[in-house]
């Protein structure tokens, strides 16, 4: 080791107060005079342990240090470097961001390992960033290959043998030969188990030209999880169809189904989840999407969902009214149903009869009469709503208003003394009024029945374990100031635009799997029906006039609500702009 390196060693040990200064000088001098490996010599003299040696190497080589002991690595990351190569060269992929692969190396000076890594990066068209890791940490992390890989490898070998033994050549042959003990059922169990354990909301099973890809949606974002051989595509899809009671031989048109999956934990307890299944024909075969519905999970409060301040006050006031409609609006996957369940949780009291029509039933709530629609037998939202009105309800929840008939029935129910909760697909809260008019509801009926319209989106929350404060760029600062300028003064008392604006981000840690985010929170806008809006609707209806009146009310838009959550350290500005800028 040259003089420059020894100086760095000396500087590191002194600055980190490792050992006695006199002792350190003596050891370095002795190692230098005898031309000994300084790291081994420091360890032999018990001045430094293995973990500190790795940090020292990181300092000398100017390579970042990483500890993988508690790191949970996604399957789609592990597949970038085969297990045999990882063990032989002591290199470990641990995180992937777009085209960038982060790799931990026990010895970043190993030329053979560097050459192997370069070959892999060129082959897969990846950029790599090297980190240094201790041997102990590496040996712990490398076991994750076996957690999923060995079990799956065994299953796939059995699938190969099954195909040979049974001479399976077509989709119908595959379906006939799938049994409860078949390897394919094990693959499906593994796919679902990992999704549930990882708290995914959806599973996508997608046949491509040469492979079968499995992706999980986590906190609203799809992640590659697993690549399977194309030859078992038909078997996997048929297995899911069998579980969902769908037609196996129907591959030309979409089908919908559902089934319950029981997941056993290591402690012996069991957790059941419902899965809603949708098949869709593509040029490469049928694609399947499974929505995971954990019906046993706890329904959150309005505050926990992110409904605060003025929005909370308006909703709280209107759910205590004896009749009228409360509509929650937003795109698919924006958390509308969860908001409705939070409202039902407040309304669920002994003295009221609550009846719901849902598709699907996502949470089971004691004390509420929940009904699952079945359109294939003619039991739809509209037909079910007619039946509900004969059940002496006080409160009605309709999963979604999709057509004119359902909208008319919901309006009629609200005008005849019932509180109706439902969802609608519009871009924002103001869009509820023109959407109902498009469905054929008269403006005077809307103004008489609609109490509140709630627009919402979901944004990823910053991980609270690794949250750190940062300064925004000038462009971001201008966006924040512009949006805050339009917010009523009483809603931004906690913030002073004259002070230095501070925002937050997640650095990435083992708790959030280095993503910097954990969970999601809503951004909301709440429009209340007022005499002023009723007056607008009695004349020539104008979206611009309604929007102007909403601002006069003090309504905060979803974007503004998101900005306030950014300043409170709940989410990032990038997340808010992603979901609110159309």
């Amino acid at each position: 080791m040259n003089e420059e390196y020894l100086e760095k060693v000396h500087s590191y040990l002194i600055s980190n107060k490792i050992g006695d200064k006199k002792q350190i000088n003596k050891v370095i001098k002795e190692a230098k005079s005898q031309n000994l490996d300084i790291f081994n010599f420091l360890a032999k003299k018990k001045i430094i342990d293995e973990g500190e040696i790795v940090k020292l190497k990181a300092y000398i080589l100017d390579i970042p240090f990483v500890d993988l002991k508690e790191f949970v690595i996604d399957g789609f990351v592990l597949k970038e470097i085969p297990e045999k190569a990882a063990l032989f060269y002591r290199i470990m992929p641990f995180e992937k961001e777009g085209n960038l692969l982060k790799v931990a190396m026990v010895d970043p000076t190993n030329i053979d390992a560097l050459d192997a890594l370069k070959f892999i990066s060129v082959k897969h068209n990846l950029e790599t960033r090297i980190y240094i890791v201790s041997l102990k940490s590496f040996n712990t992390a490398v076991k994750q290959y076996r957690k999923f890989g060995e079990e799956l490898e065994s299953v796939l070998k059995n699938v190969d043998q099954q195909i040979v033994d049974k001479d399976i050549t077509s989709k119908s042959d595959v379906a006939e030969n799938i049994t409860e003990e078949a390897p394919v059922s094990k693959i499906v169990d593994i796919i679902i188990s990992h999704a549930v354990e990882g708290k995914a909301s959806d599973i996508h099973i997608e046949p491509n030209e040469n492979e079968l890809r499995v992706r999980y949606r986590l906190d609203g974002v799809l992640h590659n999880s697993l690549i399977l051989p194309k030859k078992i595509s038909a078997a996997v899809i048929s297995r899911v169809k069998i579980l969902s009671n769908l037609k196996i031989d129907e591959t030309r048109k979409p089908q919908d189904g559902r089934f319950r999956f029981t997941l056993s934990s290591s402690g012996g307890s069991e957790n059941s989840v419902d899965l809603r299944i949708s098949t869709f024909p593509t040029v490469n075969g049928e694609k399947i999407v499974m929505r995971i519905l954990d019906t046993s999970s706890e329904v959150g409060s309005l505050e926990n969902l992110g409904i605060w301040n003025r929005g909370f006050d308006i909703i709280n006031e209107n759910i205590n009214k004896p009749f009228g409609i409360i509509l929650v609006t937003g795109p698919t996957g924006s958390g509308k149903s969860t908001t409705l369940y939070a409202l039902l949780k407040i309304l669920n009291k002994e003295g009221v009869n609550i009846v719901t029509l849902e598709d699907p039933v996502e949470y089971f709530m004691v004390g509420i009469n929940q009904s699952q629609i079945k359109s294939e037998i003619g039991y739809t939202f509209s037909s079910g709503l007619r039946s509900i009105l004969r059940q002496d309800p006080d409160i009605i929840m309709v999963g979604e208003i999709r057509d004119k008939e359902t909208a008319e029935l919901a309006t009629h129910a609200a005008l005849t003394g019932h509180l109706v909760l439902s969802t609608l697909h519009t871009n924002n809260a103001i869009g509820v009024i023109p959407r109902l008019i498009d469905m054929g509801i008269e403006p005077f009926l809307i103004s008489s029945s609609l109490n509140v319209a709630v627009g919402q989106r979901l944004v990823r929350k910053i991980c609270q374990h690794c949250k750190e404060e940062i300064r925004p760029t000038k462009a971001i600062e201008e966006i924040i100031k512009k949006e805050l300028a339009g917010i009523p003064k009483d809603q931004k008392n906690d913030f002073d635009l004259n002070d230095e604006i501070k925002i937050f981000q997640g650095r990435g840690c083992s708790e959030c799997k280095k993503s910097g985010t954990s969970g999601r929170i809503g951004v909301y806008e709440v429009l209340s029906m007022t005499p002023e809006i009723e007056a607008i609707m009695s004349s020539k209806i104008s979206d611009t006039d309604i929007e102007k009146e909403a601002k006069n009310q003090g309504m905060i838009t979803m974007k503004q609500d998101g900005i306030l959550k950014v300043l409170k350290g709940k989410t990032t500005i990038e997340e808010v702009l992603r979901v609110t800028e159309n």
Side-chain angles (χ1 to χ4, degrees):
M1 186 168 286
N2 61 34
E3 191 75 31
E4 182 184 352
Y5 273 26
L6 289 174
E7 287 180 6
K8 283 189 173 183
V9 171
H10 185 274
S11 173
Y12 179 87
L13 296 175
I14 296 296
S15 62
N16 286 277
K17 298 179 181 179
I18 298 173
D20 178 76
K21 186 175 181 180
K22 185 177 180 181
Q23 184 185 18
I24 291 170
N25 290 333
K26 182 181 178 182
V27 168
I28 290 179
K29 186 177 180 181
E30 189 176 345
K32 181 181 176 182
S33 64
Q34 298 180 35
N35 199 24
L36 299 173
D37 181 274
I38 187 64
F39 303 116
N40 292 335
F41 199 60
L42 288 169
K44 184 180 178 182
K45 294 292 184 180
K46 296 183 179 180
I47 293 176
I48 195 168
D49 60 19
E50 182 199 357
E52 202 63 47
I53 284 175
V54 178
K55 293 179 182 178
L56 173 56
K57 286 181 178 179
Y59 173 76
I60 291 172
L61 298 172
D62 195 23
I63 294 174
F65 165 80
V66 65
D67 185 358
L68 298 179
K69 287 178 185 175
E70 304 297 328
F71 214 101
V72 180
I73 304 171
D74 288 327
F76 80 94
V77 176
L78 291 175
K79 75 178 181 63
E80 297 294 351
I81 297 179
E83 183 183 4
K84 288 182 179 179
L87 289 167
F88 184 79
Y89 294 109
R90 291 179 176 174
I91 57 178
M92 184 82 180
F94 65 91
E95 189 174 355
K96 188 177 179 185
E97 297 176 354
N99 204 40
L100 175 67
L101 183 68
K102 296 181 180 179
V103 181
M105 300 183 71
V106 173
D107 183 7
T109 64
N110 185 326
I111 301 300
D112 292 336
L114 291 170
D115 286 343
L117 184 58
K118 184 176 181 181
F119 174 80
I120 291 169
S121 64
V122 171
K123 182 180 178 181
H124 296 287
N125 192 28
L126 294 168
E127 293 180 27
T128 55
R129 182 180 298 163
I130 295 172
Y131 292 71
I132 190 169
V133 65
S134 71
L135 180 59
K136 185 177 180 180
S137 179
F138 172 83
N139 287 336
T140 300
V142 81
K143 293 176 184 176
Q144 294 190 51
Y145 275 104
R146 292 179 176 82
K147 182 181 178 182
F148 184 79
E150 282 189 356
E151 187 178 16
L152 190 59
E153 185 179 350
S154 173
V155 169
L156 294 178
K157 284 180 180 177
N158 288 333
V159 170
D160 288 340
Q161 191 59 48
Q162 176 184 287
I163 292 172
V164 172
D165 292 346
K166 296 184 180 294
D167 190 28
I168 296 173
T169 58
S170 70
K171 291 186 178 182
S172 58
D173 291 333
V174 171
E176 289 170 7
N177 285 285
I178 293 177
T179 65
E180 189 61 38
E181 293 75 34
V184 169
S185 69
K186 185 66 174 176
I187 292 178
V188 173
D189 285 353
I190 292 171
I191 290 170
I192 297 172
S193 296
H194 277 259
V196 174
E197 289 169 355
K199 301 189 183 303
S201 61
D202 301 87
I203 305 168
H204 290 237
I205 302 177
E206 304 168 325
N208 294 326
E209 188 175 354
N210 301 312
E211 62 193 18
L212 182 67
R213 180 173 66 169
V214 179
R215 295 195 289 172
Y216 296 152
R217 188 177 294 280
L218 301 167
D219 291 337
V221 179
L222 278 172
H223 298 272
N224 287 326
S225 177
L226 180 65
I227 301 296
L228 298 171
K230 182 64 182 287
K231 60 190 172 186
I232 68 166
S233 173
V236 170
I237 290 167
S238 294
R239 174 62 183 166
V240 175
K241 282 182 161 185
I242 287 172
L243 292 170
S244 312
N245 199 28
L246 300 178
K247 294 178 182 178
I248 300 169
D249 57 351
E250 178 55 79
T251 62
R252 298 168 301 171
K253 61 183 182 181
Q255 296 185 73
D256 295 310
R258 65 186 299 157
F259 67 91
R260 176 162 290 191
F261 180 81
T262 302
L263 180 69
S264 299
S265 68
S266 56
S269 62
E270 292 186 343
N271 177 36
S272 293
V273 296
D274 285 346
L275 293 112
R276 186 175 66 184
I277 312 302
S278 173
T279 71
F280 186 75
T282 73
V283 292
N284 292 312
E286 285 183 284
K287 173 184 175 178
I288 285 182
V289 173
M290 294 189 270
R291 168 65 60 88
I292 300 171
L293 307 170
D294 189 354
T295 53
S296 64
S297 59
E298 186 74 18
V299 178
S301 65
L302 292 179
E303 295 96 325
N304 289 339
L305 295 180
I307 302 177
W308 303 336
N309 304 327
R310 175 185 176 274
F312 177 83
D313 293 338
I314 290 174
I315 292 174
N316 207 38
E317 176 188 342
N318 281 276
I319 60 173
N320 289 310
K321 291 181 178 179
F323 60 88
I325 302 177
I326 297 176
L327 285 176
V328 182
T329 183
T332 302
S334 60
K336 300 186 297 295
S337 296
T338 304
T339 300
L340 289 184
Y341 281 114
L343 296 177
L344 289 178
K345 184 179 179 181
I346 299 170
L347 294 166
N348 189 12
K349 299 173 183 176
E350 185 179 349
V352 295
N353 177 23
I354 303 176
V355 187
T356 74
L357 277 174
E358 305 176 54
D359 183 27
V361 176
E362 295 187 30
Y363 297 89
F364 291 133
M365 302 186 74
V366 177
I368 292 179
N369 304 288
Q370 296 175 269
S371 183
Q372 167 74 50
I373 72 164
K374 294 182 175 64
S375 55
E376 63 272 16
I377 61 171
Y379 183 43
T380 61
F381 282 124
S382 55
S383 64
L385 192 47
R386 284 196 189 89
S387 300
I388 282 179
L389 293 173
R390 294 191 289 271
Q391 287 286 313
D392 187 31
D394 297 294
I395 299 167
I396 301 169
M397 193 269 266
V398 181
E400 183 184 345
I401 295 178
R402 297 176 179 172
D403 50 49
K404 179 182 179 180
E405 189 176 9
T406 308
E408 287 177 340
L409 288 166
T411 303
H412 173 73
L415 292 172
T416 53
H418 304 89
L419 183 63
V420 180
L421 313 178
S422 191
T423 70
L424 202 63
H425 282 279
T426 67
N427 287 330
N428 51 38
I430 292 170
V432 164
I433 293 171
R435 177 73 178 120
L436 289 173
I437 292 172
D438 286 343
M439 284 183 167
I441 307 301
E442 293 292 338
F444 73 91
L445 292 177
I446 298 173
S447 61
S448 301
S449 60
L450 180 65
N451 290 350
V452 174
V454 181
Q456 71 175 84
R457 298 287 190 278
L458 290 177
V459 293
R460 287 177 287 182
K461 291 196 296 184
I462 296 172
C463 174
Q464 297 302 299
H465 295 278
C466 60
K467 183 173 76 171
E468 61 183 11
E469 189 179 285
I470 60 172
R471 279 296 312 276
T473 63
K474 189 174 181 180
I476 293 298
E477 193 170 313
E478 288 177 359
I479 291 173
I480 292 173
K481 287 183 176 180
K482 179 182 176 183
E483 292 299 326
L484 284 182
I487 295 176
K489 289 182 180 180
D490 63 329
Q491 300 294 308
K492 56 180 179 182
N493 287 335
D494 296 337
F495 311 105
D496 188 349
L497 294 183
N498 296 318
D499 288 346
E500 183 180 288
I501 293 178
K502 297 173 183 177
I503 59 176
F504 302 84
Q505 68 177 10
R507 184 176 60 257
C509 64
S510 59
E511 293 289 333
C512 61
K513 299 181 182 179
K514 296 294 180 180
S515 67
T517 60
S518 179
R520 290 189 288 178
I521 193 170
V523 292
Y524 297 87
E525 58 185 31
V526 180
L527 176 69
S528 177
M529 181 59 68
T530 61
E532 289 78 11
I533 293 181
E534 287 184 26
I536 294 170
M537 295 181 66
S538 65
S539 57
K540 186 177 180 181
I541 296 173
S542 165
D543 289 358
T544 304
D545 290 342
I546 295 174
E547 185 176 351
K548 184 178 178 181
E549 176 52 33
K551 288 181 179 179
N552 290 338
Q553 284 185 19
M555 187 187 88
I556 295 176
T557 66
M558 284 181 280
K559 189 174 182 180
Q560 291 170 334
D561 184 49
I563 295 292
L564 291 176
K565 289 182 169 75
V566 167
L567 296 178
K568 287 180 179 290
K570 297 298 181 182
T571 188
T572 65
I573 186 69
E574 291 79 11
E575 274 293 290
V576 172
L577 297 180
R578 177 179 67 85
V579 302
T580 60
E581 291 197 341
N582 299 322

